[in-house]
Amino acid sequence: MAGVRRHSLRSVVKDPQLAPGGGRKLDLAGTWAPVLNRVRERLLAEGSVRDRRIGIILPVEPKTAYLAVMLAQSGAQVALAAPGALTQDDVAAGVAERGVQVFARSDSTPEEELEFYSEVLDRRPEVVIDDRAALIRMAHTTHPQALQDLIGASEETTTGVVTLRAMARAGALRIPCIAANDARCKHLFDNRYGTGQSTITAVLDSTNLLLAGKVLLVIGYSWVGKGIAARARGMGAKVTVSEVDPIAALEALHDGFRVAPVTEACQTAEIVMTATGVPNALPLEAIERLPDGALLANAGAVDDEFDMLRLRERAPGARLVRRNVEEFRLAEGRSVFVIGDGKVVNLSAGEGHPVEIMDLTFSVQALSARHLLLRGSEMDSGVHLPPPEIDEWVARQKLESLGVSIDHLTPEQESFFSDWEAHA
Ligand SMILES: NC(=O)c1ccc[n+]([C@@H]2O[C@H](COP(=O)([O-])OP(=O)(O)OC[C@H]3O[C@@H](n4cnc5c(N)ncnc54)[C@H](O)[C@@H]3O)[C@@H](O)[C@H]2O)c1
């Protein structure tokens, strides 16, 4: 890696001198993460992660990186890597200064990114907190030696869980993996409210256009699609939903949205947002039907949810018209504008989820890592739901930190769930 600057703890970051600025951002993120701070207190008190090795791939921006810092503060040996597009260099330097081994630079090449991921696996993590199953796939293919120490993994994304389930079905998954995404404290809030808000924020910030009155097409109506559709409607957009699942389509209809196939909906859509986790959910044929000036943004974790490859062939000479906004001129004199290069838009053209949301997600992740360290050797290889007690603990801590009290079942009500003979 020519030109790479190394500093203490063998981190690879662009400029260690950026650490003070990055550190301030981390500190600020920490003030909005009350649950994660309580997780740290718990881990420190019980010593459950002390000197345990944890490898992480996640964006290196303040709130995400705070998870790595908090685990290091809890006594774990943490190695963190991220793709260049999702790395803030000052934050990377700040994290490295706080005792995490960091392998992340904003200008890294795809080859260097793979080297960074290898560096994490070379540290022989006992648990990995993964993004799109990148480390897990490497450990099962190019880096099999990593499996010797790997007790288990916790996966962040819906798409990564799809990969893990496919590996498990094929008999290829050799470690227990917790689908952190399937925790209620993750997808109900992160996928829905986090992505809903931050996707719309990224598109509006990038374009400085008005949402009110526009026709917006959401492709995919699960948690992410629902979050986008609800927020877009709240801001005055006229929302259409496209789905392949009849139940999700019916739900969208009952939520009050127009439902139509993608090619039909594209005839009038002024903004299209994909939220499927499936390649080519918006094919070129549909893009070609869009009105002049339509905006395209992808909220899903799969980079080619719309057909960027064929769009680039169809409209060569695309030009950057604003930061993160590329214009593609179609032959008929019409243009479409792609936000954030078709990559996950709230990160490629925005700052990701609000920190209060990630407080929940990362508390689930940290406690899933703890669970794997303590119990992983008793778990079967395969994909596991997060233990329900993690969800409940995280939700209770969050409510408590917000000063919100809730009711409890009475003993009589509790017994109603077990004592069927007493039912009338
Ligand atoms: N941007 C972010 O920060 C963020 C956060 C959370 C999740 N995600 C990603 O967003 C994507 C969606 O997440 P989710 O939790 O809602 O996923 P999900 O898997 O629960 O739902 C996907 C939905 O898309 C529908 N779908 C699939 N193919 C389609 C097609 N060709 N046309 C129309 N609809 C189709 C499915 O029927 C399903 O309802 C995933 O890739 C996930 O990893 C991104």
Side-chain angles (χ1 to χ4, degrees), residues 224-411:
V224 170
K226 283 179 201 174
I228 294 172
R231 256 119 213 92
R233 174 160 62 188
M235 292 177 75
K238 293 176 273 185
V239 179
T240 302
V241 169
S242 292
E243 252 295 346
V244 290
D245 173 3
I247 299 161
L250 199 58
E251 199 181 358
L253 203 65
H254 283 66
D255 285 341
F257 299 113
R258 175 180 170 236
V259 174
V262 170
T263 40
E264 183 186 320
C266 277
Q267 287 172 342
T268 50
E270 296 166 282
I271 305 177
V272 185
M273 294 184 175
T274 47
T276 65
V278 172
N280 209 12
L282 178 64
L284 183 63
E285 293 68 31
I287 295 175
E288 286 176 325
R289 289 176 166 230
L290 288 165
D292 186 28
L295 311 178
L296 309 185
N298 169 31
V302 172
D303 284 343
D304 49 357
E305 287 210 24
F306 45 87
D307 198 344
M308 285 298 289
L309 203 67
R310 285 174 65 216
L311 179 59
R312 285 203 185 282
E313 287 167 9
R314 169 83 165 75
R319 57 183 192 137
L320 202 64
V321 289
R322 287 173 64 98
R323 197 161 67 91
N324 296 321
V325 183
E326 218 176 345
E327 179 182 13
F328 292 80
R329 291 193 176 158
L330 302 172
E332 304 75 29
R334 287 176 303 118
S335 291
V336 293
F337 296 90
V338 171
I339 321 296
D341 195 27
K343 300 198 167 78
V344 55
V345 73
N346 53 339
L347 290 167
S348 59
E351 291 199 53
H353 292 6
V355 60
E356 298 102 313
I357 290 283
M358 298 319 283
D359 189 28
L360 296 171
T361 297
F362 292 148
S363 296
V364 168
Q365 285 283 32
L367 291 172
S368 296
R370 169 190 178 271
H371 185 79
L372 286 162
L373 287 169
L374 295 178
R375 312 287 292 278
S377 51
E378 302 155 22
M379 293 164 70
D380 296 333
S381 298
V383 181
H384 298 256
L385 290 177
E389 59 271 19
I390 290 183
D391 252 340
E392 186 166 328
W393 189 88
V394 170
R396 286 197 188 284
Q397 300 303 314
K398 187 72 175 185
L399 286 169
E400 210 179 284
S401 75
L402 295 168
V404 176
S405 309
I406 61 169
D407 294 314
H408 299 275
L409 289 173
T410 62

